[in-house]
Amino acid sequence: RQEIFDSFRSDDRYDVLVATSQTLSTGVTLNVANQVMFFAVPWRAADYEQAYSRCYRIGQTSPVYIHIAMLN
């Protein structure tokens, strides 16, 4: 898993990282990403906040956009 995160951070060929909120909610800093799209928002507000906060870290140089896909 760490190899995938490292490749996303350092290799310009990778523009998209697909992962679950559980995978990215703690211990992962993705300040090279500036867009987060939730297809399934976590039930607990704290889990949601942790997941989207991965992009709001020291070193982030771009505006961060959060998208939530809602289907009815």
Side-chain angles (χ1 to χ4, degrees):
R1 184 175 84 162
Q2 189 61 44
E3 184 178 323
I4 293 169
F5 295 143
D6 292 342
S7 294
F8 179 73
R9 286 184 191 111
S10 62
D11 193 332
D12 290 339
R13 295 178 299 164
Y14 299 104
D15 291 334
V16 176
L17 174 66
V18 178
T20 65
S21 59
Q22 291 83 10
T23 302
L24 295 179
S25 64
T26 56
V28 177
T29 298
L30 290 174
N31 58 2
V32 296
N34 71 330
Q35 296 197 46
V36 177
M37 178 162 280
F38 286 98
F39 291 99
V41 178
W43 285 102
R44 292 181 348 130
D47 293 339
Y48 169 71
E49 188 173 319
Q50 279 288 325
Y52 78 73
S53 293
R54 298 298 101 200
C55 293
Y56 288 107
R57 292 290 182 234
I58 294 172
Q60 177 57 269
T61 58
S62 303
V64 175
Y65 301 98
I66 309 296
H67 308 280
I68 301 172
M70 300 188 81
L71 304 173
N72 291 334

